[in-house]
Amino acid sequence: MSSTPIFDTLIRNAALQGSQSLTDICIRDGRIAEIIPVAQRREAKARVVEDVGGRLVLPGFVDTHVHLDKSCLLACCRGVGGGLKGAVAAVSRLKQDFTEEDVYRRGARTIEMAILQGTMHMRTHVEVDPRVGLRSLAAIQRLKRDYAFAIDLSVCVFPQEGLFNDPGTEALLERALDGGADLLGGCPYTDSDPAAHMERLFEMAVSHDVDLDFHLDFDLDPSWTHMPDICRLTEARGWQGRVAIGHVTKLAAMEEAAFDRHVSQLLAAGVAVTALPSTDLYLNGRDKGFRAPRGVAPVHVLAERGITTSIATNNVMNPFTPYGDCSLLRMANLYANLMHIGPEGFSLCLDLITRDAARLMRIDAYGLAPADFADLIILDATDEDEAFGSIAPVLMGFKKGRKTFERRAEILACSVKGDPTA
C-alpha cells in the first residue's frame, strides 16, 4: 500500500506574504495540513490540484462592519441631504416598508459581491426597532444559512435610532438575541439618553453572553466623546476583548495629548476600533465644503500601539454611502491613500482586513499555517506590494478547502502594433 499522503486539495506554486520562495499548500478535511516549499516538493496525491503559477495566496478577507439589510437602496434615495441625520431619516422612512424578501434580495446581491471580492468572514449589523420589527433579521438569518458554503456571517442586532427614545426596541432586541443573533450593537449618539443606552446594552450583552459592537463618536467635534464611558463599562463588566467601536471619527480631529489619552484608555480596556473610510469620508466635514478634513480614524496608528483594529465596508449604495463594490482590498487601498501610507505600510494595511480583523471578530484557526481552516484566496499578483498597490483582482477562493468561486485572469485580445511576433 502506498504511503504517499492523499489530500483533498493541493494548491501548487503559491506565493505567501513575507516568503521569497514558492510553496505548495496541502489541504485535508477543511484545514491546511502542510505547507511545503517548492524546493522540497515531494510526490503528493490530491483529489483536486490547482496550480496558481506564483500568484499571491492570502487568508480570506474579513469584513468586520457591514449593513446588509439596508444595502443597494440607491435607486430609492436620490436627493437625500443632511449628512448623517438625513441618511438615518431616509432609511427610517424606507424600512417601514421593508419585507423579508426585499431585504433578502438586496442582501444577497451584496453578499455575492463580497464573496467574489474575496471576503470569507463578515459581521453585518441589522437594525431592529418597531418600524422594521424582526423582518430584516429573518432575511439576514436566511442569508447566513444559504451562503454558509462561501462565507461565515455574524449577525449583530442594534438600535440605529436609539433605545430609550424608541419604545418597544429593547423588547425586540431581546427577542432577536433569544432567536439566534450573534452579538449586540449600539448607537448612543442617536439616543435621548446616551449614558443609559450604553449601560443597558452592556447589561444585555452580559446577560446573553454576547460581544458588543458600537457605532460611536461619528463627527469631528473633539470637545466630547463616549470613549471613556465605553472603556469604563468594558472594564467594569469584564468584557475586555469583546467590545468594538466603529467610526470613532473624533480621533481624527483631536489634539495629540487628547488622542494619546484616549488611545491609552482603549488599549487598557481591550476595546477594538474599526475605521469605515468610504462612509466616514462621504458624511464627515460637509460644512467645510471643498476644504473638508479627512474624517477617518487613524487605525494604523492605533494598531502600531497595540490596539486591535480593522478597516471595513460599512454601507454599500445607500444614503450613507452611495458607492461600493464590496472590495475590502479597495477599501484598505483608499485608507492608505488618505493616510499617506507608502509601500512600507502595505503589509500593515493588509493585516487590517485579514489577521487583525479576524482577531477583532475572535475567529478561530484563521491564517496560513498548518491546522488553520483552509479559507484561502488567490490574487492576480505575485507579491503583497503589487497586490495592494494595484488592487489586484481576486481570481479564486477556497472555503475550508472547497473552491467557491473563480474568475479568469484578464487577457488582451488584440496584438500590439509593431510587435514582430504578432
Side-chain angles (χ1 to χ4, degrees):
M1 184 179 292
S2 172
S3 61
T4 304
I6 298 178
F7 301 105
D8 299 320
T9 304
L10 176 59
I11 299 176
R12 290 198 181 277
N13 298 309
L16 303 183
Q17 280 182 281
S19 175
Q20 298 299 311
S21 58
L22 299 182
T23 61
D24 291 345
I25 303 173
C26 308
I27 300 168
R28 184 190 295 119
D29 297 329
R31 295 179 184 259
I32 297 172
E34 294 184 62
I35 296 180
I36 305 169
V38 167
Q40 300 171 24
R41 179 181 288 166
R42 63 182 186 273
E43 183 184 358
K45 295 180 180 179
R47 296 180 180 88
V48 176
V49 178
E50 198 76 53
D51 191 330
V52 299
R55 291 185 173 90
L56 181 68
V57 176
L58 294 175
F61 294 140
V62 180
D63 205 333
T64 62
H65 190 127
V66 181
H67 292 267
L68 290 177
D69 58 331
K70 57 190 181 190
S71 65
C72 298
L73 286 170
L74 190 58
C76 305
C77 299
R78 294 186 181 276
V80 173
L84 176 60
K85 289 183 178 179
V88 170
V91 173
S92 180
R93 291 190 297 271
L94 285 167
K95 68 184 173 185
Q96 298 179 67
D97 297 322
F98 282 3
T99 65
E100 184 178 330
E101 289 306 316
D102 165 59
V103 174
Y104 183 94
R105 176 184 54 79
R106 290 184 290 100
R109 178 183 173 190
T110 309
I111 209 168
E112 287 177 12
M113 283 195 289
I115 290 167
L116 292 170
Q117 297 284 11
T119 296
M120 292 190 171
H121 299 270
M122 176 184 284
R123 175 180 289 178
T124 181
H125 293 253
V126 180
E127 295 185 21
V128 170
D129 60 37
R131 284 160 293 286
V132 72
L134 300 178
R135 297 191 299 277
S136 292
L137 174 62
I140 300 304
Q141 288 177 318
R142 283 173 54 199
L143 288 171
K144 179 177 180 175
R145 294 190 297 270
D146 291 350
Y147 287 90
F149 71 96
I151 191 168
D152 292 321
L153 188 61
S154 177
V155 181
C156 178
V157 290
F158 86 114
Q160 169 73 79
E161 299 179 54
L163 187 65
F164 288 91
N165 56 304
D166 206 2
T169 298
E170 182 177 334
L172 286 166
L173 288 171
E174 290 281 2
R175 285 176 57 192
L177 291 169
D178 289 338
D182 299 294
L183 70 157
L184 182 62
C187 196
Y189 56 77
T190 63
D191 205 300
S192 57
D193 192 340
H197 180 110
M198 291 180 279
E199 289 271 3
R200 181 62 188 129
L201 290 175
F202 266 92
E203 291 172 0
M204 292 172 65
V206 172
S207 173
H208 289 272
D209 191 22
V210 295
D211 292 358
L212 281 162
D213 196 333
F214 285 88
H215 295 63
L216 206 77
D217 287 2
F218 194 8
D219 60 54
L220 298 179
D221 177 4
S223 66
W224 63 272
T225 168
H226 288 134
M227 278 183 282
D229 301 298
I230 293 293
C231 292
R232 173 182 57 80
L233 288 165
T234 299
E235 293 178 315
R237 299 290 183 174
W239 236 235
Q240 294 93 330
R242 302 188 65 176
V243 179
I245 52 178
H247 296 295
V248 207
T249 52
K250 290 178 184 288
L251 287 169
M254 290 180 175
E255 296 294 334
E256 190 169 350
F259 178 87
D260 289 343
R261 183 170 66 254
H262 291 301
V263 168
S264 296
Q265 290 175 341
L266 293 167
L267 181 60
V271 173
V273 180
T274 295
L276 305 160
S278 188
T279 300
D280 295 347
L281 284 170
Y282 180 69
L283 291 179
N284 274 316
R286 286 169 165 263
D287 58 322
K288 302 297 182 183
F290 67 88
R291 294 184 177 86
R294 59 185 188 197
V296 179
V299 289
H300 68 293
V301 177
L302 275 60
E304 289 169 346
R305 300 192 189 186
I307 294 173
T308 298
T309 53
S310 68
I311 292 169
T313 297
N314 197 40
N315 284 289
V316 178
M317 292 190 291
N318 70 15
F320 294 84
T321 319
Y323 318 108
D325 62 358
C326 295
S327 169
L328 271 179
L329 190 59
R330 188 187 309 282
M331 196 64 68
N333 180 285
L334 170 64
Y335 177 88
N337 270 269
L338 70 97
M339 293 296 179
H340 311 301
I341 297 172
E344 67 284 349
F346 285 1
S347 181
L348 185 153
C349 288
L350 274 174
D351 286 345
L352 294 173
I353 56 173
T354 54
R355 185 189 65 184
D356 292 354
R359 186 164 65 247
L360 185 151
M361 286 182 58
R362 301 202 294 145
I363 299 169
D364 293 329
Y366 175 92
L368 280 176
D372 288 340
F373 284 114
D375 293 349
L376 312 174
I377 55 175
I378 292 87
L379 284 77
D380 195 12
T382 57
D383 62 57
E384 60 185 321
D385 286 354
E386 178 190 358
F388 189 85
S390 69
I391 317 178
V394 181
L395 297 180
M396 195 180 304
F398 292 84
K399 185 66 174 172
K400 294 184 179 175
R402 297 181 61 185
K403 186 186 290 187
T404 50
F405 70 90
E406 182 175 4
R407 288 176 162 178
R408 294 191 180 278
E410 295 166 349
I411 301 173
L412 286 174
C414 60
S415 61
V416 178
K417 273 190 175 181
D419 182 354
T421 65

